């Protein structure tokens, strides 16, 4: 192990004997009282030395025997230490791709904040390279979202759509102006390849299909049709439900952006649950849906550029959290934001017993009221951070304390 205090956490002294790691309440920890020798030793935890050499440095600073190991152990348990050479074979392979790793340095630093085990951040980043994600819909939201996932290190990002790129599809980070007139699917895949950190080493992807779900880690549905965004058709997701493929909904309808739900087939609420819930609350819902779906489609729907970018970014963040093994708050909720106020709000969506997905039976008794839904959902966004602070407090006593 080559211990390294996580570089993403800024360090500052609160007083002569107390040091604080991190600035924000979600990540900040304070340690103290701390003597000057130990404070100086912290500078040596930069990933360039193994434990044997660190012990020698500790002796030069007249630190007591065992003090170095105890310090590193406590910092590790508090989630403050990374291993500069940890993460396993996949992480080692990524280290050899220096140009790729340089592109992903900010993402690695961010992952280190939410990954407690030393070496875990690079292991997660390397694991993204083996994942396959399919984005269905190459409009202003879908193409940008797919490009962000590709740029964040997800190795296999494919986009499925029909038709040709129109002038109003062009968006920064998404489909470029020179793609107007090209096949939408091909243009979106080109944008995804351009965003990839390892673009020169990538092989051309074979054409994807919405019917192909084998081996997919996640499917993100970003329809260009505003009715499909507002009221996802359960029939469209039937192959995904049957194959057990996790899928996430995102898009813009009129002046509202939507992210969620993230559907874990058989475990969390799905599009069918959403339809049944809305029917319970509004008897006219099925009638309205039938009219909207059969009505004459507008040629150009409302899709504010900044709203589309915000939705694409949040949806990509939720997708990455899921792919990294941290269930996001969109599992069991739809996040919505509307112009001009732009206040994000979570609308809880629980499994419906009338839906055939089976999630209601599995999750019976887990939720009790609509009022608790949003707060419980929002709390899920910070479990690993909260646990890190709790671990730091529980595993360290006396001279070590947490600060929020």
């Amino acid at each position: 192990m080559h211990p390294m205090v996580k570089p993403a956490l800024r360090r500052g002294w609160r007083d002569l004997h107390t040091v604080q790691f991190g600035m924000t309440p979600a990540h900040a920890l304070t340690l103290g009282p701390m003597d000057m020798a130990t404070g100086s030793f912290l500078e040596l935890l930069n990933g360039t030395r193994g434990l044997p050499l660190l012990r020698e440095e500790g002796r030069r600073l007249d630190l007591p025997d065992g003090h170095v190991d105890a310090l590193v152990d406590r910092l590790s348990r508090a989630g403050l230490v990374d291993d500069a050479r940890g993460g396993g074979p996949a992480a080692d392979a990524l280290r050899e791709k220096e140009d790729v790793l340089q592109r992903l340095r900010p993402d690695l630093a961010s992952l280190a904040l939410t990954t407690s085990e030393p070496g875990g951040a690079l292991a997660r980043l390397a694991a993204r390279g083996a994942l396959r994600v399919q984005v269905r819909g190459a409009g202003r939201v879908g193409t940008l979202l797919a490009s962000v996932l590709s740029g964040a290190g997800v190795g296999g990002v494919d986009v499925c759509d029909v038709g040709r790129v129109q002038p109003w599809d062009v968006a920064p980070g998404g489909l470029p102006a020179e793609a107007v007139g090209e096949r939408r699917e091909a243009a979106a895949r080109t944008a995804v390849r351009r965003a990839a950190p390892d673009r020169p080493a990538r092989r051309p992807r074979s054409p994807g299909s919405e019917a192909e779900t084998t081996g997919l880690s996640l499917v993100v549905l970003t329809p260009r049709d505003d009715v499909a965004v507002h009221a996802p058709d359960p029939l469209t997701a039937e192959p995904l439900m049957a194959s057990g493929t996790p899928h996430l909904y995102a898009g813009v309808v009129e002046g509202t952006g939507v992210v969620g739900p993230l559907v874990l087939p058989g475990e969390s609420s799905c599009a069918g649950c959403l339809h049944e819930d809305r029917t319970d609350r509004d008897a006219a819902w099925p009638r309205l849906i039938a009219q909207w779906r059969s009505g004459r489609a507008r040629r150009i729907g409302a899709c504010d550029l900044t709203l589309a970018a915000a939705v694409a970014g949040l949806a990509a963040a939720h997708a990455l959290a899921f792919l990294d093994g941290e269930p996001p708050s969109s599992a069991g909720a739809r996040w919505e934001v509307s112009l001009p106020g732009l206040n994000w709000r979570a609308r809880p969506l629980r499994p419906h017993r009338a839906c055939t997905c089976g999630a209601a039976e599995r999750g019976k008794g887990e939720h009790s009221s609509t009022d608790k839904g949003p707060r419980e959902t929002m709390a899920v966004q910070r479990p690993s951070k909260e646990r890190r602070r709790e671990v730091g407090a529980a595993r360290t006593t006396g001279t070590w304390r947490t600060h929020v």
Side-chain angles (χ1 to χ4, degrees):
M1 180 179 180
H2 282 60
M4 172 177 62
V5 176
K6 293 181 177 178
L9 294 173
R10 287 187 177 272
R11 191 159 71 237
W13 289 86
R14 298 180 64 84
D15 54 45
L16 292 177
H17 306 289
T18 310
V19 62
Q20 177 173 320
F21 295 88
M23 297 183 290
T24 62
H27 304 104
L29 285 166
T30 60
L31 285 74
M34 182 175 293
D35 58 80
M36 294 299 295
T38 302
S40 299
F41 181 80
L42 290 176
E43 300 295 335
L44 303 178
L45 297 178
N46 55 16
T48 62
R49 303 169 179 82
L51 281 173
L53 184 55
L54 285 172
R55 294 184 189 108
E56 291 181 15
E57 297 287 356
R59 284 191 287 270
R60 292 192 185 97
L61 292 172
D62 294 325
L63 295 177
D65 290 342
H67 188 77
V68 169
D69 291 82
L71 175 65
V72 171
D73 180 64
R74 288 178 175 177
L75 290 173
S76 299
R77 294 188 183 192
L80 293 172
V81 169
D82 207 348
D83 183 358
R85 297 189 182 181
D92 292 337
L94 182 56
R95 287 189 187 93
E96 294 177 0
K97 302 176 182 178
E98 183 62 26
D99 56 336
V100 176
L101 190 56
Q102 290 299 329
R103 278 276 303 271
L104 295 171
R105 286 289 182 188
D107 304 272
L108 177 60
S110 179
L111 277 171
L113 298 178
T114 58
T115 308
S116 58
E117 65 275 13
L122 191 57
R124 285 191 178 188
L125 190 62
R128 289 180 182 179
L131 301 177
R132 289 183 58 212
V133 176
Q134 186 181 80
V135 178
R136 299 184 179 178
R140 283 186 163 188
V141 173
T143 306
L144 177 55
L145 186 153
S147 297
V148 170
L149 292 179
S150 180
V154 177
V157 182
D158 194 23
V159 187
C160 298
D161 208 337
V162 296
R164 295 187 178 275
V165 178
Q166 302 299 322
W168 50 85
D169 293 320
V170 173
L175 294 169
E178 55 268 26
V180 173
E182 296 181 8
R183 287 180 56 243
R184 189 186 304 274
E185 191 173 84
R189 289 174 177 169
T190 299
V192 168
R193 286 195 296 273
R194 285 176 178 169
D198 57 344
R199 180 189 172 197
R202 289 195 171 215
R203 299 177 181 176
R205 297 188 184 96
S206 59
S209 168
E210 291 191 5
E212 298 172 1
T213 60
T214 304
L216 291 175
S217 306
L218 178 69
V219 171
V220 187
L221 297 104
T222 57
R224 291 178 287 113
D225 173 43
D226 54 359
V227 177
V229 173
H230 186 55
D233 189 349
L235 293 177
T236 303
E238 278 188 350
L240 299 173
M241 298 296 292
S243 63
T245 305
H247 47 287
L248 172 68
Y249 293 91
V252 173
V253 49
E254 297 174 346
T256 297
V258 178
V259 176
L262 169 66
V263 181
L264 308 176
E267 298 182 21
S268 67
S269 50
C270 66
C273 297
L274 176 63
H275 176 75
E276 296 292 347
D277 178 68
R278 283 175 165 171
T279 301
D280 287 346
R281 292 185 285 110
D282 183 0
W285 177 256
R287 187 181 306 115
L288 290 170
I289 287 297
Q291 294 174 71
W292 291 335
R293 288 176 178 164
S294 61
R296 186 175 182 179
R298 287 173 300 200
R299 187 179 179 189
I300 304 175
C303 186
D304 180 84
L305 183 62
T306 59
L307 184 60
V311 169
L314 185 64
H318 281 241
L320 285 174
F322 170 74
L323 295 171
D324 290 337
E326 296 286 346
S329 58
S330 54
R334 273 165 65 100
W335 284 92
E336 297 180 1
V337 62
S338 298
L339 298 171
L342 297 174
N343 295 314
W344 283 102
R345 57 192 177 276
R347 297 193 180 277
L349 177 62
R350 289 179 285 279
H352 199 286
R353 57 181 177 273
C355 183
T356 59
C357 70
E361 194 64 30
R362 181 185 180 95
K364 188 180 296 183
E366 291 184 1
H367 303 284
S368 58
S369 74
T370 301
D371 290 337
K372 290 183 179 179
R375 288 192 292 270
E376 291 172 354
T377 300
M378 292 170 70
V380 178
Q381 293 186 93
R382 299 189 301 173
S384 58
K385 302 168 188 174
E386 298 292 345
R387 285 200 299 270
R388 276 177 42 202
R389 292 204 300 274
E390 292 169 2
V391 168
R395 298 291 183 90
T396 61
T397 59
T399 60
W400 302 86
R401 58 181 181 270
T402 60
H403 172 75
V404 179

